[in-house]
Amino acid sequence: MDKLQIGSTELESRLLIGTGKYSSNEILPQVIESSGTQVVTVALRRVDITSSEENILNFIDKKITLLPNTSGARTAEEAVRIARLAQAAGCGNWIKIEVISDNKYLLPDNYETIKATEILAKEGFVVLPYMNPDLMDAKRMADAGAAAVMPLGAPIGSNRGIKTKEMVRILIDEMNLPIIVDAGLGAPSHAAEAMEMGADAVLVNTAIASSGDPVAMGEAFKLATEAGRKAYLSRLGPQRTVAEASSPLTGFLR
Amino acid sequence: MDKLQIGSTELESRLLIGTGKYSSNEILPQVIESSGTQVVTVALRRVDITSSEENILNFIDKKITLLPNTSGARTAEEAVRIARLAQAAGCGNWIKIEVISDNKYLLPDNYETIKATEILAKEGFVVLPYMNPDLMDAKRMADAGAAAVMPLGAPIGSNRGIKTKEMVRILIDEMNLPIIVDAGLGAPSHAAEAMEMGADAVLVNTAIASSGDPVAMGEAFKLATEAGRKAYLSRLGPQRTVAEASSPLTGFLR
Amino acid sequence: MDKLQIGSTELESRLLIGTGKYSSNEILPQVIESSGTQVVTVALRRVDITSSEENILNFIDKKITLLPNTSGARTAEEAVRIARLAQAAGCGNWIKIEVISDNKYLLPDNYETIKATEILAKEGFVVLPYMNPDLMDAKRMADAGAAAVMPLGAPIGSNRGIKTKEMVRILIDEMNLPIIVDAGLGAPSHAAEAMEMGADAVLVNTAIASSGDPVAMGEAFKLATEAGRKAYLSRLGPQRTVAEASSPLTGFLR
Amino acid sequence: MDKLQIGSTELESRLLIGTGKYSSNEILPQVIESSGTQVVTVALRRVDITSSEENILNFIDKKITLLPNTSGARTAEEAVRIARLAQAAGCGNWIKIEVISDNKYLLPDNYETIKATEILAKEGFVVLPYMNPDLMDAKRMADAGAAAVMPLGAPIGSNRGIKTKEMVRILIDEMNLPIIVDAGLGAPSHAAEAMEMGADAVLVNTAIASSGDPVAMGEAFKLATEAGRKAYLSRLGPQRTVAEASSPLTGFLR
């Protein structure tokens, strides 16, 4: 069966989801269910370490792999601290590194991210760095021990699709570790397209959370991700400039 | 439940498929099954009226609605003759009008198509005209009794996607009858996108038939079509130029 | 020298401009000058037949070819009447046929346009029909005596560029009369692109008239139109998926 | 007058050109003339230090600012060495840093490029780093003393246009030093578009050198670059989804 391996974990679902921007945490279990996701990212800040009823972890089934993220970190050092706090809080050893100091476009800082990747991979974390798609930096992240790389499609929350297609395609072509397209995917067709290009998985948050019906939208992304994966495995036909008839065109009535 | 009504028929599947270009007819039943389609288009020329074993109709389950097409017609008159032959051959009263005299791009002739639509609709056919997306002509087809219109996304068999997006979007916005995007859809993401835009259905042939694994590709298009429809019904969020954080960004460590 | 022939007129400039939407007619002579245009389209309604000082014709140099348009016509018959009025008012025998009954997208009605083309071409007009890009209809316009066809790039005034690229490209490939891309060109790069594709000319109105500096924008479109034409004549190199070094890459320091 | 300042030099032309891939050096003076360029980049390897007749510098007018590039460098250290050699060879103190270790897509290594920028800027070079468009790295290059940054539009020699539009737009929006779009510009419309977006200049090599007529293509890029700059300064009008009439539409004949 077609599975995605990250660290030592095998995943059947190739759709990862985020937990921000929902009107209420109450809806999360249904979105997790409808999307079929097996990996959920959570900003550590949302994790109430005192385990009150408000704790977002209460809304995430134990069978789900938690992917705490270092949202809020502006340097490698801060990311490392958040990662360790997440582990101490019982969030497991997966970590999505987000190092962002640009407040307008929320673009990742690849250089600081590479540094944090190296430190945390050595400590045994399964490290998934969020990154600006850059081949050299992806190679450095791989060398630093990343379990996958998460290139952005467009700025976080922008819903604009894979605006970085050229560079993501190159990462897919050249890298030997999983490529998870993250950020900017605003519609199921964007997720399908990423998968058709050969991405290994996608992460979606805003497009689901801010839709009119997050539960249905979660399912829509699930279907589209599966569709794109199946199409990739089945190989799409070539594009042509001129037409090619599906049906016989000649001589029927003549 | 969300159904598509064409003529007096209610459809749950919004993916129509074609039967051309398959390496063998033997695979058709599996593709019909995997794609979940309820409407299959067939060039009348492929229908062996003498009902030999080679007859393509033998490979299409009786519960499927047949949509014979007038492929090969170069004028309204020829299209009308083919439609009547199809009906006489037991193919039912649905007809997809294709009037094409351009051999390179296989572009439809809207004018002749409108004429054929009018004649056949009066004779009781459920008429689905294949068309170049043009608002005025779509209105004429509606006035002539079309049950739906089938604007092309790109030249037949080109696999290029919805290159006519601007005009298809206008048809969806302005017309009150079903819009079925036909021709040129080359990947599941294209089908999802058409549905997200608000198309009522899509028709796919080449992309499934010429893929490495038509049965799996049929399922991929089924999933993508459903994904796009669900997304449309659930309403996609707006696109933004700047970022919008999913996770809290401030003050965590400071 | 590279000239464009329309009817019996030879043009050096391949940029046609419109006269609507300017804050004042006073600026028109400067825009005509900066854009280098030799053909200016005018809605007959703007022509004051009593020849008052307000008459827009007073602002257009006599050496410019007037292209009165039938803006306001909803049928072929109305377009024909406007054309004859324009001629009677001394606007010459060129006519741009616009037949539009859709008030939201202002899309042309190809069918009525073909009828008007036929009538007016027989009366000796040099007929330039504004059209939805459709190969069959372009052929009918050619047969009806059109001197050129004017496919739209996007809805009038939308500034969106050549959204109908696929179909315009086919017209350029298949037709033997001049193709003038009209409507929707919102930036000089759009005009350059149309010319690079092989269009024979472009018509621009809104993008110049509604810019912050119409005189400078007129010159910008002039330069871009010339740039695109030169590039077309000089033949662009092929696009590649992978890189191809401009500079020697090997062995310099090793 | 609208000038571009780089280092202490004021430029009227915003089109920089490269010297690779020409069938012969003999044509260079004409391309420099037709393109109106004032800055020409040269791979140091092409500079024959022994000043033979073959020396490419013989074909470049003395009034042109030379921009030697470090093509062939795979590390910051190699780039620094090449820069110093260039200066010693009399090529002046401008340097375009290219550090590339990827042989398929020829993508720049931002990290090594930043290091070289810092060293060379301190030595008094006017440093123009070729880069993958990344906001954080552009800031680092600015801090390191770069005189401008040169983000790529697409892989070198690919002629594909500004595939990195989203990121280039962000650099233009956020950075205070000149942005020169380099690599991948394959047609004058691409150059015009970069300038319309607000880029300060463009660098073109392959599209001119490999066209059917490099001298004419050089002029085409010159015109397009000027067109885009003028359009940027004159401010383009907004894009609209629906139409907006240029001409009066109501009541003319009614």
Side-chain angles (χ1 to χ4, degrees), chain A residues 102 104-105 109 111 132-134 136 140 160 166 173, chain D residues 102 104-105 109 111 132-134 136 140 160 166-167 173:
Chain A
D102 151 46
K104 184 166 178 191
Y105 296 103
D109 185 331
Y111 176 70
N132 198 39
D134 179 297
M136 296 304 122
R140 290 190 174 100
R160 305 191 67 204
E166 187 80 9
D173 188 25
Chain D
D102 151 46
K104 182 166 178 190
Y105 295 104
D109 185 330
Y111 177 70
N132 197 38
D134 180 296
M136 296 304 122
R140 288 188 175 101
R160 306 192 66 204
E166 188 80 9
M167 293 302 158
D173 189 26

PDB file of all heavy atoms in Angstrom, chain A residues 102 104-105 109 111 132-134 136 140 160 166 173, chain D residues 102 104-105 109 111 132-134 136 140 160 166-167 173:
ATOM      1  N   ASP A 102       9.433  38.252  10.068  1.00  0.00           N
ATOM      2  CA  ASP A 102       8.765  39.191   9.169  1.00  0.00           C
ATOM      3  C   ASP A 102       7.270  39.178   9.492  1.00  0.00           C
ATOM      4  O   ASP A 102       6.593  38.168   9.314  1.00  0.00           O
ATOM      5  CB  ASP A 102       9.021  38.719   7.715  1.00  0.00           C
ATOM      6  CG  ASP A 102       7.923  39.104   6.758  1.00  0.00           C
ATOM      7  OD1 ASP A 102       7.477  40.260   6.789  1.00  0.00           O
ATOM      8  OD2 ASP A 102       7.506  38.235   5.961  1.00  0.00           O
ATOM      9  N   LYS A 104       4.760  40.903   8.210  1.00  0.00           N
ATOM     10  CA  LYS A 104       3.771  41.203   7.168  1.00  0.00           C
ATOM     11  C   LYS A 104       3.475  39.985   6.300  1.00  0.00           C
ATOM     12  O   LYS A 104       2.321  39.658   6.043  1.00  0.00           O
ATOM     13  CB  LYS A 104       4.292  42.338   6.285  1.00  0.00           C
ATOM     14  CG  LYS A 104       3.309  42.793   5.223  1.00  0.00           C
ATOM     15  CD  LYS A 104       3.756  44.118   4.638  1.00  0.00           C
ATOM     16  CE  LYS A 104       2.825  44.595   3.527  1.00  0.00           C
ATOM     17  NZ  LYS A 104       3.407  45.734   2.805  1.00  0.00           N
ATOM     18  N   TYR A 105       4.515  39.307   5.846  1.00  0.00           N
ATOM     19  CA  TYR A 105       4.323  38.154   4.968  1.00  0.00           C
ATOM     20  C   TYR A 105       4.567  36.835   5.687  1.00  0.00           C
ATOM     21  O   TYR A 105       4.343  35.778   5.125  1.00  0.00           O
ATOM     22  CB  TYR A 105       5.225  38.285   3.734  1.00  0.00           C
ATOM     23  CG  TYR A 105       4.859  39.475   2.874  1.00  0.00           C
ATOM     24  CD1 TYR A 105       5.602  40.647   2.895  1.00  0.00           C
ATOM     25  CD2 TYR A 105       3.725  39.430   2.057  1.00  0.00           C
ATOM     26  CE1 TYR A 105       5.253  41.743   2.113  1.00  0.00           C
ATOM     27  CE2 TYR A 105       3.368  40.515   1.280  1.00  0.00           C
ATOM     28  CZ  TYR A 105       4.135  41.674   1.318  1.00  0.00           C
ATOM     29  OH  TYR A 105       3.767  42.746   0.549  1.00  0.00           O
ATOM     30  N   ASP A 109      12.585  32.101   8.007  1.00  0.00           N
ATOM     31  CA  ASP A 109      14.003  32.442   7.949  1.00  0.00           C
ATOM     32  C   ASP A 109      14.770  31.123   7.806  1.00  0.00           C
ATOM     33  O   ASP A 109      15.010  30.414   8.778  1.00  0.00           O
ATOM     34  CB  ASP A 109      14.388  33.178   9.249  1.00  0.00           C
ATOM     35  CG  ASP A 109      15.824  33.684   9.225  1.00  0.00           C
ATOM     36  OD1 ASP A 109      16.660  33.045   8.549  1.00  0.00           O
ATOM     37  OD2 ASP A 109      16.095  34.697   9.884  1.00  0.00           O
ATOM     38  N   TYR A 111      17.820  30.369   7.240  1.00  0.00           N
ATOM     39  CA  TYR A 111      19.120  30.245   7.887  1.00  0.00           C
ATOM     40  C   TYR A 111      18.968  29.847   9.362  1.00  0.00           C
ATOM     41  O   TYR A 111      19.584  28.877   9.840  1.00  0.00           O
ATOM     42  CB  TYR A 111      19.880  31.572   7.761  1.00  0.00           C
ATOM     43  CG  TYR A 111      21.195  31.605   8.467  1.00  0.00           C
ATOM     44  CD1 TYR A 111      22.268  30.853   8.007  1.00  0.00           C
ATOM     45  CD2 TYR A 111      21.369  32.381   9.613  1.00  0.00           C
ATOM     46  CE1 TYR A 111      23.492  30.885   8.657  1.00  0.00           C
ATOM     47  CE2 TYR A 111      22.584  32.405  10.275  1.00  0.00           C
ATOM     48  CZ  TYR A 111      23.647  31.655   9.795  1.00  0.00           C
ATOM     49  OH  TYR A 111      24.846  31.675  10.448  1.00  0.00           O
ATOM     50  N   ASN A 132      11.253  28.619   3.017  1.00  0.00           N
ATOM     51  CA  ASN A 132      11.110  29.221   1.703  1.00  0.00           C
ATOM     52  C   ASN A 132      11.741  28.246   0.712  1.00  0.00           C
ATOM     53  O   ASN A 132      12.859  27.791   0.941  1.00  0.00           O
ATOM     54  CB  ASN A 132      11.864  30.565   1.672  1.00  0.00           C
ATOM     55  CG  ASN A 132      11.419  31.437   0.522  1.00  0.00           C
ATOM     56  OD1 ASN A 132      10.243  31.495   0.181  1.00  0.00           O
ATOM     57  ND2 ASN A 132      12.363  32.132  -0.092  1.00  0.00           N
ATOM     58  N   PRO A 133      11.046  27.873  -0.359  1.00  0.00           N
ATOM     59  CA  PRO A 133      11.608  26.831  -1.233  1.00  0.00           C
ATOM     60  C   PRO A 133      12.906  27.283  -1.892  1.00  0.00           C
ATOM     61  O   PRO A 133      12.903  28.180  -2.729  1.00  0.00           O
ATOM     62  CB  PRO A 133      10.507  26.587  -2.271  1.00  0.00           C
ATOM     63  CG  PRO A 133       9.528  27.697  -2.121  1.00  0.00           C
ATOM     64  CD  PRO A 133       9.704  28.282  -0.759  1.00  0.00           C
ATOM     65  N   ASP A 134      13.969  26.658  -1.499  1.00  0.00           N
ATOM     66  CA  ASP A 134      15.322  27.004  -1.940  1.00  0.00           C
ATOM     67  C   ASP A 134      16.099  25.703  -1.916  1.00  0.00           C
ATOM     68  O   ASP A 134      16.212  25.055  -0.866  1.00  0.00           O
ATOM     69  CB  ASP A 134      15.920  28.047  -0.980  1.00  0.00           C
ATOM     70  CG  ASP A 134      17.340  28.447  -1.348  1.00  0.00           C
ATOM     71  OD1 ASP A 134      18.243  27.572  -1.326  1.00  0.00           O
ATOM     72  OD2 ASP A 134      17.562  29.623  -1.647  1.00  0.00           O
ATOM     73  N   MET A 136      19.290  24.877  -2.251  1.00  0.00           N
ATOM     74  CA  MET A 136      20.502  24.760  -1.436  1.00  0.00           C
ATOM     75  C   MET A 136      20.136  24.606   0.048  1.00  0.00           C
ATOM     76  O   MET A 136      20.731  23.803   0.765  1.00  0.00           O
ATOM     77  CB  MET A 136      21.389  26.002  -1.608  1.00  0.00           C
ATOM     78  CG  MET A 136      21.925  26.185  -3.005  1.00  0.00           C
ATOM     79  SD  MET A 136      22.851  24.736  -3.577  1.00  0.00           S
ATOM     80  CE  MET A 136      21.899  24.340  -5.052  1.00  0.00           C
ATOM     81  N   ARG A 140      20.724  21.643   2.824  1.00  0.00           N
ATOM     82  CA  ARG A 140      21.305  21.853   4.160  1.00  0.00           C
ATOM     83  C   ARG A 140      20.391  21.280   5.249  1.00  0.00           C
ATOM     84  O   ARG A 140      20.854  20.730   6.241  1.00  0.00           O
ATOM     85  CB  ARG A 140      21.536  23.347   4.400  1.00  0.00           C
ATOM     86  CG  ARG A 140      22.662  23.907   3.551  1.00  0.00           C
ATOM     87  CD  ARG A 140      23.044  25.332   3.957  1.00  0.00           C
ATOM     88  NE  ARG A 140      24.224  25.750   3.185  1.00  0.00           N
ATOM     89  CZ  ARG A 140      24.188  26.521   2.098  1.00  0.00           C
ATOM     90  NH1 ARG A 140      23.029  27.020   1.677  1.00  0.00           N
ATOM     91  NH2 ARG A 140      25.293  26.803   1.441  1.00  0.00           N
ATOM     92  N   ARG A 160      -3.647  31.583  -1.668  1.00  0.00           N
ATOM     93  CA  ARG A 160      -3.371  31.898  -3.068  1.00  0.00           C
ATOM     94  C   ARG A 160      -2.890  30.728  -3.912  1.00  0.00           C
ATOM     95  O   ARG A 160      -2.684  30.866  -5.110  1.00  0.00           O
ATOM     96  CB  ARG A 160      -2.357  33.040  -3.138  1.00  0.00           C
ATOM     97  CG  ARG A 160      -2.852  34.252  -2.348  1.00  0.00           C
ATOM     98  CD  ARG A 160      -2.027  35.454  -2.598  1.00  0.00           C
ATOM     99  NE  ARG A 160      -2.188  35.886  -3.969  1.00  0.00           N
ATOM    100  CZ  ARG A 160      -1.317  36.603  -4.638  1.00  0.00           C
ATOM    101  NH1 ARG A 160      -0.213  36.972  -4.052  1.00  0.00           N
ATOM    102  NH2 ARG A 160      -1.539  36.954  -5.865  1.00  0.00           N
ATOM    103  N   GLU A 166       7.548  26.756  -9.452  1.00  0.00           N
ATOM    104  CA  GLU A 166       8.824  26.465 -10.109  1.00  0.00           C
ATOM    105  C   GLU A 166       9.836  25.884  -9.119  1.00  0.00           C
ATOM    106  O   GLU A 166      10.500  24.898  -9.406  1.00  0.00           O
ATOM    107  CB  GLU A 166       9.377  27.774 -10.695  1.00  0.00           C
ATOM    108  CG  GLU A 166      10.602  27.615 -11.541  1.00  0.00           C
ATOM    109  CD  GLU A 166      10.269  27.147 -12.947  1.00  0.00           C
ATOM    110  OE1 GLU A 166       9.065  27.116 -13.301  1.00  0.00           O
ATOM    111  OE2 GLU A 166      11.195  26.793 -13.680  1.00  0.00           O
ATOM    112  N   ASP A 173      12.013  17.346  -7.585  1.00  0.00           N
ATOM    113  CA  ASP A 173      12.885  16.678  -8.556  1.00  0.00           C
ATOM    114  C   ASP A 173      14.230  16.285  -7.947  1.00  0.00           C
ATOM    115  O   ASP A 173      14.766  15.220  -8.240  1.00  0.00           O
ATOM    116  CB  ASP A 173      13.100  17.635  -9.741  1.00  0.00           C
ATOM    117  CG  ASP A 173      13.833  16.987 -10.906  1.00  0.00           C
ATOM    118  OD1 ASP A 173      13.760  15.752 -11.036  1.00  0.00           O
ATOM    119  OD2 ASP A 173      14.460  17.720 -11.685  1.00  0.00           O
TER     120      ASP A 173
ATOM    121  N   ASP D 102      24.738  23.845  -8.037  1.00  0.00           N
ATOM    122  CA  ASP D 102      23.714  22.961  -8.616  1.00  0.00           C
ATOM    123  C   ASP D 102      23.838  23.021 -10.132  1.00  0.00           C
ATOM    124  O   ASP D 102      23.602  24.055 -10.745  1.00  0.00           O
ATOM    125  CB  ASP D 102      22.340  23.466  -8.134  1.00  0.00           C
ATOM    126  CG  ASP D 102      21.219  23.169  -9.107  1.00  0.00           C
ATOM    127  OD1 ASP D 102      21.152  22.034  -9.596  1.00  0.00           O
ATOM    128  OD2 ASP D 102      20.411  24.087  -9.375  1.00  0.00           O
ATOM    129  N   LYS D 104      22.151  21.435 -12.495  1.00  0.00           N
ATOM    130  CA  LYS D 104      20.987  21.208 -13.350  1.00  0.00           C
ATOM    131  C   LYS D 104      20.136  22.474 -13.484  1.00  0.00           C
ATOM    132  O   LYS D 104      19.740  22.851 -14.575  1.00  0.00           O
ATOM    133  CB  LYS D 104      20.140  20.078 -12.763  1.00  0.00           C
ATOM    134  CG  LYS D 104      18.927  19.724 -13.603  1.00  0.00           C
ATOM    135  CD  LYS D 104      18.353  18.403 -13.157  1.00  0.00           C
ATOM    136  CE  LYS D 104      17.100  18.021 -13.930  1.00  0.00           C
ATOM    137  NZ  LYS D 104      16.437  16.866 -13.303  1.00  0.00           N
ATOM    138  N   TYR D 105      19.849  23.115 -12.362  1.00  0.00           N
ATOM    139  CA  TYR D 105      19.002  24.304 -12.393  1.00  0.00           C
ATOM    140  C   TYR D 105      19.808  25.588 -12.203  1.00  0.00           C
ATOM    141  O   TYR D 105      19.271  26.672 -12.295  1.00  0.00           O
ATOM    142  CB  TYR D 105      17.896  24.181 -11.345  1.00  0.00           C
ATOM    143  CG  TYR D 105      16.940  23.056 -11.639  1.00  0.00           C
ATOM    144  CD1 TYR D 105      16.994  21.854 -10.941  1.00  0.00           C
ATOM    145  CD2 TYR D 105      16.000  23.181 -12.657  1.00  0.00           C
ATOM    146  CE1 TYR D 105      16.131  20.803 -11.239  1.00  0.00           C
ATOM    147  CE2 TYR D 105      15.128  22.144 -12.955  1.00  0.00           C
ATOM    148  CZ  TYR D 105      15.198  20.958 -12.236  1.00  0.00           C
ATOM    149  OH  TYR D 105      14.336  19.933 -12.533  1.00  0.00           O
ATOM    150  N   ASP D 109      23.368  29.922  -4.418  1.00  0.00           N
ATOM    151  CA  ASP D 109      23.476  29.516  -3.020  1.00  0.00           C
ATOM    152  C   ASP D 109      23.476  30.805  -2.192  1.00  0.00           C
ATOM    153  O   ASP D 109      24.498  31.468  -2.044  1.00  0.00           O
ATOM    154  CB  ASP D 109      24.785  28.727  -2.844  1.00  0.00           C
ATOM    155  CG  ASP D 109      24.918  28.165  -1.439  1.00  0.00           C
ATOM    156  OD1 ASP D 109      24.385  28.787  -0.495  1.00  0.00           O
ATOM    157  OD2 ASP D 109      25.564  27.116  -1.282  1.00  0.00           O
ATOM    158  N   TYR D 111      23.360  31.459   0.927  1.00  0.00           N
ATOM    159  CA  TYR D 111      24.188  31.517   2.132  1.00  0.00           C
ATOM    160  C   TYR D 111      25.637  31.877   1.796  1.00  0.00           C
ATOM    161  O   TYR D 111      26.228  32.804   2.383  1.00  0.00           O
ATOM    162  CB  TYR D 111      24.125  30.155   2.851  1.00  0.00           C
ATOM    163  CG  TYR D 111      24.997  30.062   4.061  1.00  0.00           C
ATOM    164  CD1 TYR D 111      24.707  30.781   5.226  1.00  0.00           C
ATOM    165  CD2 TYR D 111      26.125  29.244   4.053  1.00  0.00           C
ATOM    166  CE1 TYR D 111      25.523  30.691   6.344  1.00  0.00           C
ATOM    167  CE2 TYR D 111      26.938  29.140   5.172  1.00  0.00           C
ATOM    168  CZ  TYR D 111      26.634  29.881   6.315  1.00  0.00           C
ATOM    169  OH  TYR D 111      27.449  29.773   7.418  1.00  0.00           O
ATOM    170  N   ASN D 132      18.385  33.618  -4.926  1.00  0.00           N
ATOM    171  CA  ASN D 132      17.031  33.064  -4.925  1.00  0.00           C
ATOM    172  C   ASN D 132      16.176  34.055  -4.130  1.00  0.00           C
ATOM    173  O   ASN D 132      16.562  34.454  -3.041  1.00  0.00           O
ATOM    174  CB  ASN D 132      17.037  31.701  -4.216  1.00  0.00           C
ATOM    175  CG  ASN D 132      15.809  30.888  -4.534  1.00  0.00           C
ATOM    176  OD1 ASN D 132      15.322  30.888  -5.648  1.00  0.00           O
ATOM    177  ND2 ASN D 132      15.301  30.174  -3.533  1.00  0.00           N
ATOM    178  N   PRO D 133      15.037  34.487  -4.659  1.00  0.00           N
ATOM    179  CA  PRO D 133      14.295  35.534  -3.946  1.00  0.00           C
ATOM    180  C   PRO D 133      13.799  35.059  -2.574  1.00  0.00           C
ATOM    181  O   PRO D 133      12.933  34.183  -2.498  1.00  0.00           O
ATOM    182  CB  PRO D 133      13.138  35.877  -4.888  1.00  0.00           C
ATOM    183  CG  PRO D 133      13.097  34.804  -5.910  1.00  0.00           C
ATOM    184  CD  PRO D 133      14.420  34.148  -5.952  1.00  0.00           C
ATOM    185  N   ASP D 134      14.362  35.623  -1.558  1.00  0.00           N
ATOM    186  CA  ASP D 134      14.084  35.238  -0.174  1.00  0.00           C
ATOM    187  C   ASP D 134      14.261  36.507   0.638  1.00  0.00           C
ATOM    188  O   ASP D 134      15.344  37.102   0.637  1.00  0.00           O
ATOM    189  CB  ASP D 134      15.079  34.143   0.251  1.00  0.00           C
ATOM    190  CG  ASP D 134      14.861  33.692   1.694  1.00  0.00           C
ATOM    191  OD1 ASP D 134      15.037  34.533   2.614  1.00  0.00           O
ATOM    192  OD2 ASP D 134      14.530  32.524   1.908  1.00  0.00           O
ATOM    193  N   MET D 136      14.396  37.226   3.852  1.00  0.00           N
ATOM    194  CA  MET D 136      15.371  37.257   4.949  1.00  0.00           C
ATOM    195  C   MET D 136      16.787  37.368   4.408  1.00  0.00           C
ATOM    196  O   MET D 136      17.614  38.117   4.932  1.00  0.00           O
ATOM    197  CB  MET D 136      15.256  35.985   5.805  1.00  0.00           C
ATOM    198  CG  MET D 136      13.938  35.826   6.519  1.00  0.00           C
ATOM    199  SD  MET D 136      13.545  37.255   7.577  1.00  0.00           S
ATOM    200  CE  MET D 136      11.983  37.726   6.830  1.00  0.00           C
ATOM    201  N   ARG D 140      19.744  40.223   4.707  1.00  0.00           N
ATOM    202  CA  ARG D 140      21.131  39.950   5.103  1.00  0.00           C
ATOM    203  C   ARG D 140      22.108  40.523   4.082  1.00  0.00           C
ATOM    204  O   ARG D 140      23.172  41.019   4.442  1.00  0.00           O
ATOM    205  CB  ARG D 140      21.350  38.438   5.247  1.00  0.00           C
ATOM    206  CG  ARG D 140      20.650  37.873   6.477  1.00  0.00           C
ATOM    207  CD  ARG D 140      21.030  36.412   6.734  1.00  0.00           C
ATOM    208  NE  ARG D 140      20.410  35.987   7.981  1.00  0.00           N
ATOM    209  CZ  ARG D 140      19.292  35.253   8.067  1.00  0.00           C
ATOM    210  NH1 ARG D 140      18.703  34.812   6.972  1.00  0.00           N
ATOM    211  NH2 ARG D 140      18.789  34.955   9.245  1.00  0.00           N
ATOM    212  N   ARG D 160      11.608  31.439 -19.146  1.00  0.00           N
ATOM    213  CA  ARG D 160      10.248  31.156 -18.692  1.00  0.00           C
ATOM    214  C   ARG D 160       9.514  32.337 -18.068  1.00  0.00           C
ATOM    215  O   ARG D 160       8.349  32.221 -17.711  1.00  0.00           O
ATOM    216  CB  ARG D 160      10.264  29.983 -17.720  1.00  0.00           C
ATOM    217  CG  ARG D 160      10.961  28.779 -18.346  1.00  0.00           C
ATOM    218  CD  ARG D 160      10.745  27.547 -17.535  1.00  0.00           C
ATOM    219  NE  ARG D 160       9.355  27.170 -17.545  1.00  0.00           N
ATOM    220  CZ  ARG D 160       8.766  26.440 -16.623  1.00  0.00           C
ATOM    221  NH1 ARG D 160       9.470  26.005 -15.607  1.00  0.00           N
ATOM    222  NH2 ARG D 160       7.504  26.150 -16.701  1.00  0.00           N
ATOM    223  N   GLU D 166       5.608  36.079  -6.851  1.00  0.00           N
ATOM    224  CA  GLU D 166       5.153  36.343  -5.489  1.00  0.00           C
ATOM    225  C   GLU D 166       6.300  36.848  -4.617  1.00  0.00           C
ATOM    226  O   GLU D 166       6.147  37.807  -3.858  1.00  0.00           O
ATOM    227  CB  GLU D 166       4.584  35.039  -4.898  1.00  0.00           C
ATOM    228  CG  GLU D 166       3.898  35.190  -3.574  1.00  0.00           C
ATOM    229  CD  GLU D 166       2.495  35.719  -3.725  1.00  0.00           C
ATOM    230  OE1 GLU D 166       1.997  35.808  -4.867  1.00  0.00           O
ATOM    231  OE2 GLU D 166       1.870  36.061  -2.689  1.00  0.00           O
ATOM    232  N   MET D 167       7.441  36.186  -4.719  1.00  0.00           N
ATOM    233  CA  MET D 167       8.556  36.538  -3.845  1.00  0.00           C
ATOM    234  C   MET D 167       9.254  37.812  -4.317  1.00  0.00           C
ATOM    235  O   MET D 167       9.700  38.618  -3.496  1.00  0.00           O
ATOM    236  CB  MET D 167       9.553  35.374  -3.766  1.00  0.00           C
ATOM    237  CG  MET D 167       8.989  34.150  -3.062  1.00  0.00           C
ATOM    238  SD  MET D 167       8.427  34.507  -1.348  1.00  0.00           S
ATOM    239  CE  MET D 167       7.257  33.143  -1.105  1.00  0.00           C
ATOM    240  N   ASP D 173       8.455  45.223  -2.347  1.00  0.00           N
ATOM    241  CA  ASP D 173       7.640  45.887  -1.325  1.00  0.00           C
ATOM    242  C   ASP D 173       8.426  46.200  -0.053  1.00  0.00           C
ATOM    243  O   ASP D 173       8.254  47.253   0.561  1.00  0.00           O
ATOM    244  CB  ASP D 173       6.458  44.968  -0.994  1.00  0.00           C
ATOM    245  CG  ASP D 173       5.429  45.637  -0.104  1.00  0.00           C
ATOM    246  OD1 ASP D 173       5.332  46.877  -0.127  1.00  0.00           O
ATOM    247  OD2 ASP D 173       4.699  44.913   0.602  1.00  0.00           O
TER     248      ASP D 173
END
